[in-house]
Every structure is written in structure tokens, then in C-alpha cells.
């Protein structure tokens, strides 16, 4: 009897062992690719990271194209990066195609003068556009359209009696401009680059607006406030196509909703935290169908990252990569004894997929 029981136990043990070995371990999380621009005190860098091999390539852009850390702003149009710099009373423009590595420098694309108070600049591969107030002593908003290779420069008036203008949005050969006039009305229009014409002006009265394009190509306008509404407009006519309520109190900045993505009736965005808080904002997803606002627990993720690196972090930039369905968040290390920063990859479920350390401070994550 003892031998029979012993044999049964041995066979049972083999059976359990075989069952355990047949259970496949969970797959490793997919690490996303990314391209980030950043800087230290002396240089500007590009870092290209490959998620499959988990390796990256660092490029010194100061050495390659001559751009320095004190540049004014950085724009992206498809694969083209544009660095705006100011020196000796003029704005210069440095272009870099990240795919072909082709570059070009255009000095003095805008020369400072008292009749034109510049507000912003944006460009394509062949033209640069500046929003400005002028002539001197007026609050007339206009757009200067200048050829990068040539002397053709034209000014086009947008509106009069304007208090402030917000950052522009370039999409499908049109430049979308939002602004607030001196009566407190928030307005939206576009400049058609092909026909050199200003489109119709949509007046949202006293309601501040944020804008972005959804994945179907419609212009989405978020009317901010305690009872926000998302409205979709035809990008060619600015006629209202659809509208949906948003059951949460928005606190978005006026103008383009930077780093956010609207697809499949969901808004992937940076939610502003109630202050005082350790961070200004973090990743969130608002479902327009269910009206659920899912705020990812970024504070717990940050605690784990800070414990891992042994220093506090500060968020520098955030985007949602819709092609890889991942939040990418850039951070700098607060402790001066630990230079640099990194990129956090966070899934839509709220899991930390990767923490990629960098030897510089990331300031711009390339939009795919």
C-alpha cells in the first residue's frame, strides 16, 4: 500500500510539473520608439530611441546644424523641425528634416521694427508666417507671409481691436488662429496659404477655446469652463458639424491643446492637478461616449521612479503617441548632483512601461 501511495505521489508530482511548464510566462511589455529634443547648458541634442532593441542614438544638434540652447521656440511639421532664434534685432530660422538629415539656415526671416509687434511664428518647408500687431499704436492683428527663398513678403490683416492672440495651428495648408478681442470675445479663423485669404471668423463670445484636430480631420474646438462642450467644425469652411457635452470641469489653455490626441471618441490629454501639488499635470483619458474621465495615478508612478533614481523629478513635457497608444512624459532630475532627465512611457491602463534615462533635459517629444 505504501508503495502504491508513493507511486501515486510521484506521478502526481510529474503531472503538476508538466502543467506548470506548459503555462507561458506573460509577454514583456512593448517598449515604444520615440525621438526627443533637449538641451543642457551648452548644447541642443536629439535622442532617437528604438523600443525593440532598447537602445538609443544621441546627436549633438549644436554641432550638426548650429542651433544653441537659447533658441526661442521649436515647431514641427511632419518630419521637419524648425528652431527659431533671436539675435542682433532679427529672428533666424534653422530647419532640420529628421528623416533625411537635410538642414538649412535662414537668417533674418523677421527683422524687428516698431511698426510690427511680433506674437508668434510658424513655417512650412518653403514659407514662414508671423502673427503680429501693427502698425505702431494699434491692436490690429495681421499675418506676414514670407518666402524662405526669395524676397516675396505680404501682410494680411486678420482682425482689428485685438487684445491677445494664441499660438497658431498649421494643418492641410491652412493656418488656424485663435485670439481674444478687446471686448473679451474669443474668436477663431484661418489663413489659407494657397489662396492667400482669411476665412470666416467664428465668435465664441466670452468662452475661452482650445483647439486640435481629431483623427478624421475635423477641427475640434473645446469650449472651456464648468460645462464644457466639444464642437467639431469643417476645416475648410468653419461650419459646425457636431457637438458633444464633456462632463468634467476643463482647465485647458487657450489655443492649440498641445500634446493631446482626439481619436475614437476619446480625448487623451494632460489633466491639470489641483494646486498645491508636486506636479502641474499628468496623463488622463476622457471618453466622450461614456463621459468617464480616467485620471492615471501619476503620483504613484513618480514615487517609484524617484525611488529608483534616488532623486526628485520635475515634468518638462507630455504627449500622447497615438501610433503606439502610449503616453510619453519627459522629466528633469531636480537634484543638481544627478544631471539630466528621462522619458517615461505609460500605458493607457496606467502602467509604467519604461523609464529611459537621458543625459540632458528633454524639452520636446516628436509627434508621430
Amino acid at each position: 500500500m505504501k508503495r502504491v501511495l508513493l507511486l501515486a505521489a510521484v506521478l502526481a508530482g510529474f503531472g503538476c510539473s508538466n502543467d506548470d511548464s506548459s503555462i507561458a510566462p506573460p509577454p514583456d511589455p512593448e517598449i515604444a520608439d520615440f525621438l526627443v529634443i533637449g538641451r543642457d547648458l551648452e548644447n541642443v541634442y536629439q535622442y532617437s530611441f528604438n523600443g525593440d532593441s532598447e537602445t538609443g542614438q544621441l546627436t549633438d544638434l549644436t554641432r550638426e546644424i548650429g542651433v544653441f540652447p537659447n533658441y526661442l521656440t521649436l515647431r514641427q511639421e511632419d518630419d521637419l523641425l524648425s528652431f527659431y532664434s533671436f539675435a542682433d534685432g532679427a529672428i533666424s530660422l534653422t530647419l532640420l528634416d529628421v528623416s533625411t538629415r537635410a538642414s538649412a539656415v535662414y537668417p533674418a526671416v523677421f527683422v524687428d521694427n516698431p511698426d510690427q509687434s511680433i506674437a508668434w511664428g510658424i513655417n512650412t518647408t518653403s514659407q514662414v508666417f508671423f502673427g503680429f500687431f501693427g502698425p505702431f499704436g494699434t491692436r490690429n492683428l495681421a499675418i506676414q507671409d514670407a518666402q524662405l527663398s526669395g524676397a516675396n513678403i505680404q501682410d494680411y490683416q486678420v482682425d482689428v481691436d485685438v487684445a491677445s492672440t494664441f499660438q497658431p495651428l498649421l494643418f492641410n495648408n491652412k493656418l488656424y488662429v485663435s485670439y481674444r478681442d478687446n471686448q473679451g470675445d474669443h474668436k477663431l479663423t484661418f489663413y489659407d496659404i494657397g489662396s492667400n485669404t482669411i476665412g470666416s471668423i467664428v465668435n465664441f463670445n466670452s468662452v475661452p477655446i482650445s483647439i486640435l484636430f481629431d483623427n478624421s480631420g475635423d477641427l475640434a474646438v473645446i469650449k472651456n469652463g464648468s460645462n464644457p462642450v466639444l464642437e467639431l467644425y469643417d476645416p475648410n469652411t468653419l461650419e459646425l458639424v457636431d457637438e458633444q457635452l464633456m462632463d468634467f470641469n476643463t482647465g485647458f489653455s487657450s489655443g492649440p491643446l498641445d500634446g493631446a490626441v482626439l481619436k475614437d471618441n476619446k480625448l487623451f490629454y494632460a489633466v491639470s492637478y489641483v494646486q498645491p501639488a508636486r506636479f502641474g499635470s499628468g496623463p488622463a483619458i476622457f471618453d466622450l461616449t461614456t463621459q468617464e474621465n480616467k485620471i492615471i495615478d501619476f503620483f504613484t508612478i513618480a514615487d517609484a521612479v524617484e525611488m529608483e533614481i534616488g532623486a526628485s523629478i520635475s515634468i518638462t513635457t507630455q504627449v500622447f503617441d497615438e501610433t503606439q497608444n502610449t503616453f510619453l512624459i519627459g522629466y528633469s532630475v531636480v537634484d543638481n548632483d544627478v544631471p539630466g532627465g528621462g522619458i517615461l512611457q505609460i500605458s493607457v491602463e496606467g502602467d509604467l512601461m519604461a523609464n529611459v534615462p537621458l543625459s540632458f533635459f528633454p524639452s520636446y517629444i516628436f509627434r508621430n
Side-chain angles (χ1 to χ4, degrees), residues 39-54:
R39 51 187 140 183
D40 56 22
L41 295 177
E42 298 178 350
N43 300 289
V44 179
Y45 302 98
Q46 173 189 313
Y47 184 76
S48 303
F49 181 77
N50 184 290
D52 291 335
S53 63
E54 298 188 38

Side-chain angles (χ1 to χ4, degrees), residues 108-320:
V109 290
F110 189 95
V111 178
D112 189 28
N113 72 77
D115 272 340
Q116 295 177 326
S117 176
I118 188 171
W120 47 254
I122 197 167
N123 62 281
T124 64
T125 56
S126 59
Q127 294 166 267
V128 61
F129 312 94
F130 290 101
F132 69 90
F133 293 100
F136 180 77
T138 71
R139 295 301 295 179
N140 299 335
L141 176 61
I143 294 175
Q144 182 177 104
D145 182 341
Q147 296 288 331
L148 288 175
S149 299
N152 187 14
I153 300 176
Q154 297 291 330
D155 295 341
Y156 301 93
Q157 183 169 287
V158 176
D159 206 345
V160 299
D161 200 26
V162 174
S164 59
T165 179
F166 308 108
Q167 292 298 310
L169 186 61
L170 187 59
F171 185 80
N172 279 355
N173 219 36
K174 288 184 175 64
L175 184 59
Y176 295 84
V177 181
S178 56
Y179 57 96
R180 180 174 58 85
D181 66 20
N182 280 321
Q183 286 69 50
D185 290 339
H186 290 260
K187 297 179 178 180
L188 172 68
T189 188
F190 64 79
Y191 170 66
D192 190 313
I193 297 172
S195 63
N196 305 118
T197 56
I198 302 295
S200 59
I201 297 175
V202 182
N203 191 340
F204 297 90
N205 300 311
S206 61
V207 180
I209 61 168
S210 305
I211 59 175
L212 73 162
F213 278 88
D214 67 6
N215 60 339
S216 65
D218 286 329
L219 176 63
V221 175
I222 297 176
K223 298 166 68 175
N224 290 294
S226 56
N227 297 297
V229 177
L230 185 145
E231 297 182 341
L232 296 179
Y233 287 83
D234 184 311
N236 297 310
T237 63
L238 291 186
E239 294 181 354
L240 182 63
V241 176
D242 193 14
E243 61 181 355
Q244 293 178 277
L245 296 176
M246 302 179 70
D247 190 18
F248 74 105
N249 189 1
T250 59
F252 301 136
S253 299
S254 296
L257 200 54
D258 190 41
V261 169
L262 179 60
K263 71 167 188 174
D264 302 329
N265 225 31
K266 292 181 180 179
L267 178 66
F268 302 83
Y269 72 103
V271 61
S272 297
Y273 296 132
V274 177
Q275 298 299 309
R278 291 166 55 196
F279 306 104
S281 61
I285 306 168
F286 181 73
D287 191 318
L288 287 155
T289 302
T290 65
Q291 295 292 298
E292 176 191 5
N293 192 30
K294 178 183 177 181
I295 299 176
I296 290 173
D297 184 6
F298 181 71
F299 293 93
T300 298
I301 294 174
D303 286 340
V305 172
E306 290 176 336
M307 183 174 294
E308 176 188 349
I309 66 177
S312 299
I313 64 173
S314 176
I315 302 307
T316 59
T317 183
Q318 171 183 320
V319 301
F320 181 76

